[in-house]
Amino acid sequence: MKYQDQNLRRTLAGEYVLGTLRGAARRRFEKLAGQDPALRDEVQAWEQRLGGLAELEPVAPPPTAWLSLQLRIKTGNSVPLRRLPSESRAAGSPPIWRIWAGLAAAVAMVSLVMLAQYRPQNQADQVARLQQPEPSAARDFVALLKMPGSSLQWTVSLSPSRGMITAEAAGDYIKLGLRSMDLQLWWVSPQGPVPLGVLPLVGEGVMPLPKGMPMQGQITLAVSLEPPAGSPTGKPTGPVLTSAPAANGLQS
Amino acid sequence: MSRATATPERLTELLAAVRRGDEQAFAELYRCCSAHLYALLLRILQRRDWAEEALQDSFLKIWQKSETYEPARGAPLTWLLTIARYRALDLLRAKRPEVEMPEEGEEPPLSMADPTQDPLMRAQETEGVGRLTDCLRGLQEEQRRSLLLAYYEGYTHQELARVLRAPLGTVKSWVRRGLSRLRDCLESVGGGLER
């Protein structure tokens, strides 16, 4: 290529901006433009000339995009939180379900391990507790859920004796990103996520403990990004932002 | 340029603040402009999941590369949209086979409208691009279609030749002459875009 020819330079810059300059030729052009301010000027002139075509009727992106972007920036993660379409295609299901499925599988495995450990020592008692939890003697379970890349965290207590869950927020929430959405707390049961309630961004929030939630073994909690007032479907619709096991805490 | 919810001056200020690592400014920039970028990405990529991915990629780049914006060299929104468009083209290059052969169960394209007619009509609705639209209308039909298909669909010369049912050499010539005539037209009409 004779990059001295002014017309050719202009045409190549135009084709670069238009996108028809491809492959090796495109890379070669980029390299040249990097060392040639006049060629960069040609590119910029074309970007301005064709710029009007890019101005379409605005379409608001889904609210998940902003928070995912925040997390990518703060965690230095250049990989999108949403899986690439090619990956989700392989799984045959939306990306979100793969994450939940993974969590649920992990929970199921931990439960199995724990049952295996308990059974030899206390099999009869274990089975009895499985079938008939004793609320009066039950202990609180406590989980610390940290939002990656921020100082925001919640201390979540599940109290079977009081039949309620308290969540206390600490740290700074990502102000602008959460304006139009809520963070929802889930219990990741072996059968799938069960909605618990919307987490407070400041102070303490209370939500009822679901009846029939077995208060033993490993309890995993997760937080997802949802529309205001929580998922409309009863299942997570947004990305999972964090998850943590609840530890058996103090006697209530 | 009046379509952004912030003025070009404000956007330039925001970009300068983003360069200093100001997260609030970045958030405001996102609020102002994400819907503009997302609209373009949807138009080119035709799928919401890809458009959202490309939107995140674009703003990540804006966050990391805001120092490369030079106010003297064009409107800030145009710069932002250019970043988004190049990202969309990159994604299309990587994913084009999927575009051409959607599998069962895939999210269908958002728009099946005639891509050669649609953009020009939409571009015309936009303020400040009347001259560009006029100049595009002044091109020969094949030249205009080639340019718009390349711009909005990311078609290569080969893809243009297939879609327009013309020899490769002919299509290349349509693109080059179309660009050249477009430039002549834009410069003759008043040169506002050339300053």
Side-chain angles (χ1 to χ4, degrees):
Chain A
M1 286 280 180
K2 295 190 183 75
Y3 283 99
Q4 286 73 39
D5 182 315
Q6 183 55 37
N7 275 332
L8 180 59
R9 287 164 62 92
R10 187 166 289 154
T11 302
L12 285 171
E15 295 225 24
Y16 174 81
V17 174
L18 188 65
T20 44
L21 192 66
R22 290 296 169 97
R26 189 174 187 84
R27 300 283 94 82
R28 197 162 57 237
F29 181 88
E30 281 172 344
K31 202 173 164 190
L32 275 161
Q35 307 152 351
D36 186 339
L39 198 55
R40 280 207 298 282
D41 288 347
E42 288 289 350
V43 168
Q44 232 150 1
W46 276 112
E47 287 172 354
Q48 294 299 312
R49 282 183 199 119
L50 300 179
L53 288 174
E55 292 180 44
L56 305 174
E57 194 61 39
V59 180
T64 48
W66 170 245
L67 205 99
S68 299
L69 173 66
Q70 289 280 86
L71 291 177
R72 281 176 71 185
I73 287 172
K74 299 204 173 189
T75 58
N77 178 9
S78 63
V79 179
L81 283 182
R82 295 174 66 96
R83 304 297 176 90
L84 291 172
S86 56
E87 290 177 307
S88 64
R89 177 212 298 284
S93 58
I96 187 86
W97 291 109
R98 296 184 59 190
I99 300 169
W100 286 106
L103 276 176
V107 169
M109 186 167 297
V110 170
S111 303
L112 281 174
V113 169
M114 292 187 71
L115 282 176
Q117 286 170 342
Y118 275 117
R119 192 163 288 139
Q121 299 159 356
N122 211 349
Q123 189 168 10
D125 182 43
Q126 181 71 17
V127 170
R129 281 178 60 197
L130 272 174
Q131 290 167 344
Q132 204 171 42
E134 297 168 77
S136 59
R139 292 160 177 267
D140 280 6
F141 276 69
V142 180
L144 185 63
L145 288 154
K146 294 181 176 186
M147 184 78 103
S150 81
S151 63
L152 181 61
Q153 63 178 40
W154 296 269
T155 307
V156 177
S157 307
L158 299 90
S159 171
S161 60
R162 293 187 295 158
M164 63 172 63
I165 299 168
T166 54
E168 190 176 357
D172 293 326
Y173 63 94
I174 306 166
K175 294 183 181 68
L176 291 152
L178 299 177
R179 182 163 288 181
S180 59
M181 49 199 143
D182 272 328
L183 295 171
Q184 188 160 7
L185 181 67
W186 302 85
W187 165 40
V188 187
S189 82
Q191 286 74 41
V194 175
L196 298 177
V198 170
L199 286 167
L201 293 177
V202 287
E204 192 177 273
V206 177
M207 49 197 101
L209 188 72
K211 289 191 172 66
M213 182 171 171
M215 297 301 291
Q216 85 280 318
Q218 178 89 1
I219 294 174
T220 295
L221 302 178
V223 179
S224 75
L225 191 67
E226 298 294 341
S231 164
T233 64
K235 293 289 174 191
T237 60
V240 181
L241 303 174
T242 185
S243 73
N248 201 326
L250 298 170
Q251 185 101 34
S252 59
Chain B
M1 266 330 118
S2 59
R3 294 200 144 239
T5 40
T7 61
E9 291 74 26
R10 180 66 185 145
L11 291 182
T12 303
E13 284 171 17
L14 289 174
L15 279 169
V18 168
R19 184 183 316 184
R20 298 189 297 269
D22 183 335
E23 293 183 21
Q24 295 295 318
F26 183 65
E28 187 179 339
L29 190 72
Y30 184 89
R31 272 208 312 281
C32 291
C33 302
S34 58
H36 296 262
L37 271 63
Y38 190 59
L40 177 65
L41 292 166
L42 272 178
R43 177 66 190 81
I44 296 173
L45 295 168
Q46 304 266 318
R47 277 179 52 163
R48 287 192 178 84
D49 51 351
W50 293 4
E52 187 181 336
E53 182 187 332
L55 183 73
Q56 288 182 34
D57 294 342
S58 301
F59 271 94
L60 201 59
K61 184 152 192 184
I62 291 162
W63 173 247
Q64 291 161 343
K65 303 257 176 182
S66 55
E67 76 278 3
T68 59
Y69 173 63
E70 298 171 49
R73 304 183 69 166
L77 183 59
T78 303
W79 184 76
L80 298 171
L81 288 166
T82 300
I83 287 176
R85 187 162 171 280
Y86 287 154
R87 181 64 199 140
L89 290 179
D90 285 346
L91 269 179
L92 270 188
R93 275 166 210 144
K95 294 173 173 173
R96 180 64 92 188
E98 295 181 46
V99 175
E100 303 217 310
M101 291 175 286
E103 290 179 15
E104 206 176 340
E106 275 296 304
E107 189 178 345
L110 294 171
S111 159
M112 299 301 282
D114 180 352
T116 63
Q117 301 300 326
D118 194 30
L120 204 50
M121 286 167 64
R122 281 209 236 168
Q124 200 184 22
E125 295 166 10
T126 312
E127 299 165 49
V129 294
R131 184 167 48 229
L132 176 61
T133 310
D134 286 346
C135 286
L136 278 166
R137 287 194 190 287
L139 300 181
Q140 287 173 12
E141 173 70 14
E142 296 83 1
Q143 295 172 350
R144 180 171 63 247
R145 283 172 56 118
S146 301
L147 294 191
L148 291 175
L149 283 169
Y151 190 88
Y152 287 111
E153 312 297 326
Y155 283 171
T156 61
H157 289 134
Q158 285 80 2
E159 286 166 331
L160 286 173
R162 194 162 67 241
V163 170
L164 299 174
R165 292 164 205 236
L168 187 59
T170 307
V171 166
K172 285 184 179 177
S173 152
W174 285 341
V175 170
R176 283 183 191 159
R177 290 199 187 147
L179 282 172
S180 173
R181 285 188 57 176
L182 188 65
R183 177 177 168 278
D184 290 346
C185 174
L186 286 169
E187 292 194 340
S188 71
V189 181
L193 289 166
E194 289 302 306
R195 278 198 300 267

